Each structure stands twice: as structure tokens, then as C-alpha cells.
Amino acid sequence: MNDINFVSRGANLGKIFNSIKKKIGLYSIALTLYLPLIVFFGKLLTDCDLLVKLWTFLSSKLFINTLSFSVKEALLSACLSLLLAFPGAYFFGNFDFPGKRLLRSIMILPFMMPGILIVLGLVIFYGNNGFFNQFLASVSNNQLKFAGLYGFWGIILAHSLYNFPFCIRVLSESWERINPNLKEAAAMLGSSKLNTWRRVTLPLLMPTLSYLFFLVFTYSFLSFTIVLVFGGYLYKTFEVLIYIEYNNKLQFEQAAIIILLQTIILAVILLLQSFIGKRVQYQSKLVGQLAALNWQTTRLQTVTFISYGLFLILFFVSPFLAIIYKSFFQTEILSIANYRNLFTTAFSFSVGQPFLIVLRDSILLGGFASLIVVCIAYYVARSRRHEPWGGVDLLFQLPIGISFMAFAIGLASIFGELLNYRLLIVWAHVFLAFPLVYSILRTARRELNESIIENAILLGSTPGQVFRRVELPLMRRPLSTAFAYGMAISLGDLAAVLVFGKGQLVTLSVAVYRLIGHYRFAQATALGSLLIFISLLLFLSVENSSIFIGSREDR
Amino acid sequence: MRHLLRFLLSIILVVVILVVGGCKKESPKNLMVYTYSSFSVKLTDNIKNHFKTKYNLAVDFKSFSDTGPLFNQLLQEKNNPVADVVIGLDSSYFAKALKADLFQPYQPANLSLVNKDLIFDPEYRLIPFDYGYVLFNYDSQKLDSLPKTHRDLLQPQFKKKIIISNPLTSSPGQVFLLTTIALYGEDGYLDYWRQLKANLLTIAPGWDEAYGMYTNGEAPIVLSYGTSPAYHLLYENTERYQALILDDAAYAQIEGAGIIKNSANLTNAKLLMDYLLSAEFQTLIPENQFMYPVRSDVTLPESFRIAAKVDKILNLPLDKVTANLERWLQEWEQVINE
């Protein structure tokens, strides 16, 4: 639409008008998304004693201890996750090999697992009685024992395990998109391999690296269950303090103050990140054909890759496999009883609803929430396609760093009684999924070759036609990937459904918790495995569509 | 592409229908009950059915994820209450609920049949409807010599063999803290914790994590409920997991219910309170909520033969807990972090 105005008379006026309209549109979206938070913090800020209370907390030893532990733990988790992900991203970004698609889909899985299953997976594999220790005991005649799960390093291990697969995926995608001509040009100009890597590849990866660093840092900073389970009693994050104040001491105001403080800290870190990792103005129109990773031509690399892969599977993928393995044992004998029992009345008794209803509701909710978040995020990404990363984009990343509790309290206090609970949950899921979905679509839309669209307009297509026939097909892959992420986040969410569902809506994640509350741990692992399977199907279908519709030919 | 669009459109349609269907305003006559996620779905269904068939009255339940959100809601609605009855408030929050003046007194029918030791509010604002013991459980395949007292747990042979849940984030954890104060007094309990620390494998945030670790064989002793073994007997037909009664005594966790002050539906709210103490409802409690009924005249099911039988209830007086709990938690935290 804007592009047509551009050529008409009075173009300037139209342009200014349009840009104002666009700005209003964007800010009203941001405002709506953040409305609950504005209400939450607004209430807090009208309190006259706020500064005094804030100061009391800031000067307490508890604050210093919590801050220093959280920063240390989050930094180490982010470093370790990226370190583990880096070789993987290199192989995924530079080579083609069989099973790549499947592996890529698997990488998103930890993301949507309910926290308790991550904990159980780690315990089943690394615990005192876990597979790893059983193995160590059998080879060393009971001499060796791994006891590192409980303590500071256990926390780091758990966080890295949780985050590194996602890092591989995102980093490898941005590696793939590096224009091969750049490397060739550098080589022709006589640059050594190391130099090319340092001066060309690394700077191009830097924005993604720093974004991922920020992401893992923030997730670890906000960690709750993992820190408490493996840290025992020594360690606390702000999220833990908030929970204690809100749920146990029922000191809602003190909880709000800590939430405010936590938000400020993470907003500062977000600003720092955007400062360091300024997204480079770089549009790759050409993507290289990836060489096949095979045994004959790249022997050394293949061997390295296989040993790296084995290392990852052995130490980092096994906890997830352990859950699936356990799901086939109700007693000591291998069986599918846990799965069969999902359909019995015992399931509906513990969970409150029959399995098929739970499945249907989860998928409907996830699909609907994700559709909305993708539409809004794409609208925003589209209207900011000419802008470099920054400003409003940062505002849209903020939900990652905000305690969900603040959002939930705010939302409940304005709309708790007005809106249907399903709408409240959808709103919450849109809020939770927005940063990630937006970041995917924003990058993809900015990298879209605008000249194709301009050509279509010059050839006389209407804006509607251009959007349907040119833009949507070109954006199909990122759109469907974003949809899958949005749905995965909704499927994995527990907090929003518990807070707003008021027991009337049961999703798969909630069902996992209810089963555990009824001592049905074995069945919970089966349901968790199903959740893994559904998400895997979701991501496989996304990857498939991108192969068939040939974004590769477009390159 | 078109298929995808059609698919997405149909999803939107279905959801819109669901949302619109769900938007129907409930008629104001319905009884509104707040509860939280630990209250069994089977019991809420039973209450709904009972009131539907007997009084042609609809009962709506709102189940909160945790005590915090439930309390926050009650405080916000204090002058204009939406809920008529709250069911399932556990004893660690009684003091705070009474302090906030949220409930009104009512003596349900059959109150005389309730075990006197369990009635904690002399003004009858909160009425107990079930209770359980918070105590240790053990895995009989992993533990040969059993401790007899809480002091025995301090022996070096139990090093890293005990999992408890955190008093700051979970209610069984808090009840265990009170247990140690009841046993060793304000002067002795911190010393006990100083020594217990070495024998703890971890302090889990909630019962879920603690019990999950225990059943996966991480440690042979876990803080849980006296009725936990009954689950394993009923569903897995095993007596491997047993209750560990130390010092022949235990702290009772009592769950209460009460009518909200200024409830607009007082008559029906009273009917519900009566029903909670009826023989019909009390009989349902053991195998649905896995707690003991407060009425001692109700016969227990077969599976409860393995549940803990305790001679002495350790509970501290409510006013003492109210006055000191915050300080105790703080002191506990300091000792644990030493």
C-alpha cells in the first residue's frame, strides 16, 4: 500500500501520514500486549513507600546473594550452552547429511517439556540410582560414582542441557544463510582461512550469537524448579524469592517489588545485548549449496562430527531418551501398559478429563494461540521491514525477561471476570510466544528480497494479489516455522493454563502434573513422551513443507 | 497453501464457537466455590451431582493454581465477594485467613461427630473436613535398619539418604518444620536442623519433585504423607513403600472449609458445609483425596490398612503458629544457608 502512495502526487504528505499511522498501529499492539503489565506496575508505582521498600530490599544481603548467584549461574549456563552448540551449528550450517531434518526437529523438544519431566529425566539418567551411575559402578567395580547432579554444577548442567539444542538450531540456520560469495571473495583476495573466519564469518554470526547468549542467560536467570531441585537449599533466584513472597508469605507487595527489580535488571541486559550485537545490515540473496558430509571426501570432519554427535547423545540427549525408555515400564517388564492406561477411567479420574478431550483442547488452544501470535507478529515485522533492528523491536523482546506472575496478576485484575478463561489463556500464550515468533519473522521478512515485490507491483498486480501470490509463498517457510514454535510454547506452558484455566481446561502439560500429583509417575512419563512425539510431528511437518515448496529453488 | 488456509480457518471457526459458547453468563443463583488444585476432581463432581439432583442447584468451582492466587482473589473481592465457600485451605494458611477476616462463623450439622482435636478455630469460621499426617516414608527394599525416632535420622548411616521439600515453597515442608519445633521446642529445633543438613540429599521445591526422586530410587527416605503407601497398595498392589512413624507421633495437616463473609448465598453455602461433614461425603474422602475423614465413625477402606496409624498428634496451638511462623521460617533459612 505504502509503495503505491510513494509514486502518487503529494507523496510526501501521504508518506508522513502513513508512517504516523504505522507507528500508532505498532504502539497500540505493544500497548495491548503489555496492558496487564502496565496495570500491574502502575498499581505498584502509586505506592508512596515504594522507594523506601525498594531501598530496604536493595541493601539487604539477600538481594546481593541472589543477584550474584543468578548472574554467575546464568553466565556460565549461557557460555556452556553456546560452547556445546557451536560445533553442532558448524556441521548443521555447512553440511548436508542424512537425518538432518529429523535431528533439527528434535532440537526444539526440550523447550516444550514440562519442567518436572526435565528434572525426572536428569534424575533417571544422572541420579544416584541413574543409568550413568549404574554403568560407572559396573565398569569400575563400584569404585566410581558421579555425584555432580546435586550442587552448583548440577544446575549449570541442567540449564545447558535444556538450552543448547535450541542454540544449535538457530545458530546453524544463520550460518547457512551466509552468502558463500563472501567467503570466496575473501579467499581470492588472499585471506587465510582463519582470517576469513575471524573477519567475515564470525562478525556475521555475532548478532545471532549475542541474541542466543541473551536468551539462555535470561532463561537461566529466571529459572525456578531446576535451581531448587538441584541446588538444594543453598541457591535462590529472584523467581524463587517472588514465589515465596507471593505464595507462601502472601506478601503481594514485596513480591511486586522484586518483580519490578527483576524486570529492570533484565531490561538493562537486553539493552546491553542489543548494543553489543547490533544486527548487521546484511541481506543474503544467495545461499550456498551445502556440501554433503560424507566419509570419502571429508574424512576428518566426518569423524569429528560423529564423535561430537556421540558425545552429545551420551551426555545430553540421554536424559530425554531415559524418559521415553521409562515410559515403557509400568513394573519391571517392558510393556505399553502406561500408554494403554491413558484411555482408562483411571486417567480421567486423576486428570479430570478423558485423554482425547485433553488432547483436543491442547491442540485447539495451541493452534489458535499460535495463529494469532503469528498474524500479529508478522504484521509488525512487515511494517518494520525497512527499519534496522532496534527500538520497538527491543520492546517486543521484553516478555522473555518478565516474570509471568506480573503479567498474570495484571491480566487477572483487569479482565479476570470480564473475559472468558479461554481468551485469557490465549492472551497469555500470545504474550509468552511473541518474542520468539517475532524474532523469527522479523529476521526473515527483513531478508526477503524486496525487488520481487516491487516488480510485481510494476507489472500491475494489486496489493492484495502481491500479498497472496508473491509475499506469502515466499514467506511460507518462516511463517510455518514460527507457527510451530508458537504452538510448541503453548503446548509446553503450564503456568497460564493453571492460573486462568481455574481447573476447567486441562492441557497435556497440566495432565502430566495431575498424574504426578496422583502418584502416577510412570504414566506421566508416557504422557510426556507423547508430548515429545506430537511436538516432533509438528516440527517435522514444518521442515517437510519447506522442502517441498522449495525455498531452495528460490535461492 | 489453500489446504493450509482452509485448515487454519476451520481451527479459528471451532475456537470461536467454543469461546462464544463458553461466554454464557452464569446465573447469579449458582453457588460459587473456590478451591485449589489439590482438591480431587472426583469430589468436585460428586458435590455438583449431589446438589443438582437433591436441590436442583448448580455449584460452580474455580480451582486456583496455588494458595497465593486464591488469597489474592479473596482479598480483592473482600468488599464484594464472588465466592460463597472456600474448600481445601490447608492448615499452614489458617492463621493468615483468620487474620484477614475472610470467613464467617457457622456450625455445620454433624460437627459433634468430628474428632475434637481437629477443631482448631473455636469460633467455627473454618471447619476441618479431612486431615492427614505429614511424615517420612521409606522404601523397604533399600533400607535395612529403620530409625525409631527423629533423632535417629541424624545418624551418619543416613547421610544423603533423605529428601524433604522446602518449608518456604511447599506445605508438607512447612509442616515438617513445625514438627521439629513441636518436638524440640524453640530452643532445640535449629540445632536439630544443623545436624540434619548433612543427611539431606536435597530440599525439593515441592512434594512432586521430592516424591518423584524417591520413587526413582534417589534416596530411600522421603517426606510425604501417612497415606502415600495406600496409593501404591491400591494401584500397584505393592507394599514396598511404607510409612515411617518416628517417636510414635506426627503432625496433622488439616484441610478446612469456610463460608465467605458477606456471601450472598448463605442458605446454600450452609447446605454445602453440612454436606462436607455428611457420612456420604466423608466416606468418599479416603480413596479420592487420600486423607482421613474427620468423622471418626466413618469406616476406612481396605487400602488404608497400610496407611500410618499415629498415637500422638503433635500440632502446635494455632495462635502460637500465627505469631511466630514468619520468624521461624527466617531462622530456618539462616541455619540452612550457614
Side-chain angles (χ1 to χ4, degrees):
Chain A
M1 194 82 89
N2 307 333
D3 306 89
I4 294 174
N5 273 341
F6 191 69
V7 277
S8 67
R9 255 153 55 91
N12 267 340
L13 212 66
K15 208 171 151 193
I16 292 169
F17 178 68
N18 259 330
S19 92
I20 291 174
K21 213 171 68 184
K22 212 183 329 177
K23 281 236 167 74
I24 292 175
L26 288 188
Y27 280 104
S28 52
I29 287 177
L31 205 68
T32 319
L33 198 64
Y34 284 104
L35 192 62
L37 288 172
I38 296 167
V39 171
F40 179 81
F41 288 126
K43 269 190 189 160
L44 183 64
L45 291 174
T46 49
D47 177 11
C48 325
D49 299 336
L50 175 73
L51 281 179
V52 182
K53 284 174 189 155
L54 199 60
W55 180 247
T56 322
F57 181 65
L58 276 176
S59 48
S60 70
K61 224 176 128 188
L62 183 65
F63 169 73
I64 307 289
N65 288 343
T66 312
L67 183 70
S68 71
F69 163 72
S70 306
V71 170
K72 201 164 80 181
E73 156 267 315
L75 275 178
L76 282 169
S77 304
C79 288
L80 187 61
S81 302
L82 283 181
L83 211 66
L84 279 169
F86 211 82
Y90 168 76
F91 286 108
F92 273 84
N94 289 287
F95 296 100
D96 245 344
F97 47 86
K100 186 170 164 182
R101 246 191 299 140
L102 180 71
L103 281 175
R104 261 206 182 153
S105 302
I106 289 177
M107 280 170 188
I108 190 70
L109 294 182
F111 231 53
M112 66 218 51
M113 294 266 281
I116 179 111
L117 284 186
I118 302 264
V119 168
L120 285 184
L122 283 165
V123 165
I124 294 169
F125 189 76
Y126 281 116
N128 291 341
N129 192 35
F131 294 133
F132 187 55
N133 269 320
Q134 282 172 13
F135 168 77
L136 282 183
S138 68
V139 293
S140 69
N141 226 346
N142 290 326
Q143 295 300 303
L144 288 172
K145 190 163 188 265
F146 174 76
L149 186 59
Y150 300 99
F152 184 76
W153 291 102
I155 298 175
I156 308 290
L157 179 78
H159 284 160
S160 313
L161 172 90
Y162 189 62
N163 289 304
F164 90 93
F166 176 72
C167 295
I168 295 191
R169 195 185 153 115
V170 176
L171 192 59
S172 70
E173 273 167 9
S174 93
W175 213 319
E176 259 180 9
R177 282 203 301 268
I178 293 178
N179 189 336
N181 288 353
L182 288 176
K183 264 203 244 170
E184 280 163 28
M188 273 199 285
L189 291 169
S191 159
S192 71
K193 264 199 170 156
L194 187 73
N195 229 354
T196 311
W197 153 249
R198 210 163 50 87
R199 307 286 284 274
V200 180
T201 315
L202 195 60
L204 289 175
L205 288 179
M206 216 44 215
T208 314
L209 273 176
S210 80
Y211 180 69
L212 285 174
F213 192 89
F214 160 73
L215 216 60
V216 181
F217 182 92
T218 309
Y219 284 143
S220 313
F221 197 88
L222 292 169
S223 175
F224 179 85
T225 310
I226 288 176
V227 165
L228 280 176
V229 171
F230 298 123
Y233 35 83
L234 288 174
Y235 306 108
K236 268 196 237 78
T237 57
F238 287 106
E239 216 45 20
V240 175
L241 296 184
I242 293 166
Y243 182 89
I244 293 170
E245 292 294 339
Y246 188 83
N247 274 317
N248 198 286
K249 296 189 183 164
L250 305 176
Q251 299 287 335
F252 305 128
E253 207 173 60
Q254 184 65 20
I257 287 173
I258 306 177
I259 289 174
L260 177 72
L261 202 68
Q262 177 175 265
T263 310
I264 295 173
I265 294 171
L266 286 168
V268 169
I269 290 166
L270 177 66
L271 271 176
L272 273 177
Q273 181 268 331
S274 74
F275 189 68
I276 296 164
K278 271 236 172 287
R279 303 217 158 183
V280 257
Q281 307 255 354
Y282 143 72
Q283 286 200 352
S284 152
K285 298 192 176 119
L286 196 78
V287 175
Q289 199 67 48
L290 298 184
L293 187 67
N294 77 28
W295 181 243
Q296 274 85 32
T297 47
T298 50
R299 186 165 303 194
L300 178 68
Q301 281 179 318
T302 310
V303 171
T304 323
F305 176 69
I306 289 174
S307 31
Y308 166 79
L310 283 178
F311 168 77
L312 283 193
I313 289 173
L314 204 62
F315 290 99
F316 287 88
V317 185
S318 307
F320 298 106
L321 297 179
I323 291 177
I324 300 176
Y325 174 81
K326 274 266 167 165
S327 75
F328 288 101
F329 290 89
Q330 192 182 34
T331 48
E332 314 274 290
I333 313 142
L334 186 83
S335 79
I336 56 160
N338 288 324
Y339 290 89
R340 228 182 309 125
N341 285 344
L342 293 178
F343 296 93
T344 59
T345 45
F347 178 89
S348 359
F349 164 51
S350 321
V351 167
Q353 251 147 28
F355 172 67
L356 288 175
I357 304 279
V358 173
L359 188 66
R360 182 200 69 187
D361 286 352
S362 307
I363 290 175
L364 277 179
L365 173 68
F368 187 62
S370 184
L371 195 64
I372 291 180
V373 69
V374 167
C375 289
I376 302 175
Y378 189 67
Y379 172 78
V380 180
R382 194 166 179 266
S383 41
R384 285 187 56 77
R385 63 185 180 276
H386 299 298
E387 251 77 26
W389 179 268
V392 186
D393 297 321
L394 292 183
L395 195 59
F396 284 121
Q397 291 302 302
L398 212 54
I400 301 175
I402 290 174
S403 170
F404 178 74
M405 198 99 81
F407 178 83
I409 296 167
L411 186 60
S413 71
I414 355 172
F415 292 118
E417 298 303 316
L418 287 174
L419 290 180
N420 180 279
Y421 67 91
R422 295 186 187 87
L423 282 180
L424 294 175
I425 298 174
V426 168
W427 191 336
H429 284 180
V430 167
F431 177 80
L432 288 173
F434 204 89
L436 200 61
V437 167
Y438 178 66
S439 157
I440 295 170
L441 293 176
R442 175 79 167 94
T443 317
R445 188 59 184 84
R446 189 157 162 70
E447 286 177 359
L448 181 73
N449 194 338
E450 204 66 30
S451 63
I452 301 176
I453 291 173
E454 281 158 20
N455 286 341
I457 292 169
L458 283 179
L459 290 171
S461 308
T462 66
Q465 278 174 330
V466 176
F467 183 70
R468 267 201 328 273
R469 295 274 191 69
V470 183
E471 190 175 340
L472 269 190
L474 282 176
M475 291 302 294
R476 190 194 175 93
R477 185 179 180 181
L479 278 173
S480 44
T481 307
F483 180 81
Y485 275 97
M487 190 150 167
I489 289 173
S490 166
L491 280 176
D493 166 74
L494 182 74
V497 182
L498 277 185
V499 171
F500 297 113
K502 299 275 181 280
Q504 297 170 79
L505 185 76
V506 182
T507 59
L508 291 169
S509 304
V510 174
V512 167
Y513 266 86
R514 289 210 176 151
L515 284 176
I516 287 173
H518 282 83
Y519 295 72
R520 297 173 188 276
F521 287 89
Q523 224 183 319
T525 57
L527 198 58
S529 306
L530 267 182
L531 198 60
I532 294 178
F533 183 68
I534 292 169
S535 314
L536 192 62
L537 273 185
L538 188 69
F539 280 92
L540 271 178
S541 66
V542 167
E543 302 260 328
N544 260 330
S545 71
S546 67
I547 295 299
F548 288 128
I549 316 302
S551 48
R552 195 143 286 182
E553 287 94 317
D554 300 335
R555 292 162 178 176
Chain B
M1 190 68 213
R2 206 162 282 165
H3 285 294
L4 184 72
L5 266 180
R6 216 175 285 160
F7 171 66
L8 294 179
L9 277 178
S10 52
I11 287 186
I12 297 181
L13 201 71
V14 170
V15 174
V16 167
I17 292 169
L18 280 180
V19 169
V20 171
C23 276
K24 265 189 296 173
K25 266 268 157 265
E26 292 127 357
S27 75
K29 277 256 173 137
N30 292 4
L31 196 60
M32 175 57 89
V33 180
Y34 285 0
T35 177
Y36 58 109
S37 47
S38 61
F39 195 60
S40 156
V41 186
K42 195 81 170 263
L43 293 180
T44 59
D45 284 349
N46 172 273
I47 291 172
K48 279 183 193 166
N49 288 337
H50 175 83
F51 278 81
K52 190 89 222 160
T53 47
K54 195 159 177 199
Y55 307 106
N56 193 25
L57 178 76
V59 184
D60 293 323
F61 279 89
K62 262 193 178 181
S63 162
F64 289 80
S65 56
D66 223 325
T67 327
L70 174 70
F71 253 86
N72 205 358
Q73 187 87 12
L74 290 177
L75 290 178
Q76 274 179 20
E77 296 169 354
K78 198 172 169 187
N79 297 318
N80 200 0
V82 179
D84 301 302
V85 173
V86 173
I87 301 180
L89 215 52
D90 90 57
S91 39
S92 32
Y93 293 96
F94 288 162
K96 286 161 195 150
L98 295 181
K99 213 168 167 182
D101 195 23
L102 294 166
F103 296 94
Q104 55 175 301
Y106 174 62
Q107 294 190 46
N110 294 327
L111 190 64
S112 56
L113 295 170
V114 170
N115 182 348
K116 293 280 169 301
D117 292 341
L118 298 170
I119 297 175
F120 48 86
D121 177 19
E123 291 176 46
Y124 307 107
R125 286 160 297 182
L126 282 169
I127 302 293
F129 68 92
D130 69 10
Y131 73 104
Y133 298 110
V134 172
L135 41 69
F136 286 100
N137 279 214
Y138 71 98
D139 181 348
S140 61
Q141 288 183 6
K142 295 275 168 67
L143 210 61
D144 329 310
S145 67
L146 293 183
K148 292 271 180 300
T149 65
H150 284 85
R151 287 252 178 247
D152 289 347
L153 284 181
L154 305 177
Q155 288 165 12
Q157 56 164 315
F158 298 116
K159 189 164 189 245
K160 301 258 175 218
K161 289 209 165 141
I162 303 169
I163 302 175
I164 66 163
S165 47
N166 197 321
L168 289 165
T169 53
S170 84
S171 70
Q174 192 164 321
V175 174
F176 181 55
L177 177 66
L178 296 178
T179 309
T180 58
I181 297 169
L183 282 169
Y184 305 115
E186 283 211 61
D187 306 323
Y189 83 102
L190 288 174
D191 248 3
Y192 180 80
W193 278 94
R194 271 189 201 100
Q195 295 173 62
L196 183 67
K197 236 163 74 173
N199 286 358
L200 298 176
L201 177 69
T202 186
I203 301 181
W207 174 89
D208 299 345
E209 292 86 2
Y211 207 80
M213 288 168 148
Y214 164 71
T215 44
N216 270 306
E218 283 302 277
I221 302 174
V222 70
L223 183 70
S224 187
Y225 298 94
T227 46
S228 305
Y231 264 96
H232 295 285
L233 182 60
L234 191 63
Y235 296 122
E236 294 161 14
N237 205 15
T238 171
E239 298 191 16
R240 173 176 172 182
Y241 300 106
Q242 298 272 347
L244 185 58
I245 304 156
L246 302 173
D247 299 302
D248 292 320
Y251 209 99
Q253 186 181 34
I254 304 167
E255 290 194 289
I259 302 175
I260 293 289
K261 225 175 184 177
N262 303 325
S263 152
N265 219 334
L266 195 58
T267 328
N268 293 330
K270 287 179 175 172
L271 282 179
L272 178 56
M273 293 296 290
D274 292 344
Y275 183 61
L276 292 180
L277 295 188
S278 69
E280 183 190 347
F281 187 78
Q282 288 282 308
T283 319
L284 288 175
I285 284 174
E287 284 190 348
N288 286 295
Q289 193 71 355
F290 278 86
M291 297 284 260
Y292 290 96
V294 284
R295 273 176 63 165
S296 29
D297 59 333
V298 170
T299 23
L300 293 172
E302 208 277 327
S303 60
F304 268 52
R305 72 181 154 84
I306 200 174
K309 281 162 207 66
V310 175
D311 295 338
K312 194 178 155 214
I313 294 182
L314 288 171
N315 290 30
L316 297 164
L318 190 61
D319 50 348
K320 192 176 172 194
V321 178
T322 317
N324 298 302
L325 184 60
E326 199 131 319
R327 182 170 53 86
W328 289 335
L329 285 169
Q330 251 170 31
E331 288 172 351
W332 174 83
E333 205 179 348
Q334 267 166 18
V335 166
I336 284 301
N337 283 322
E338 264 166 20

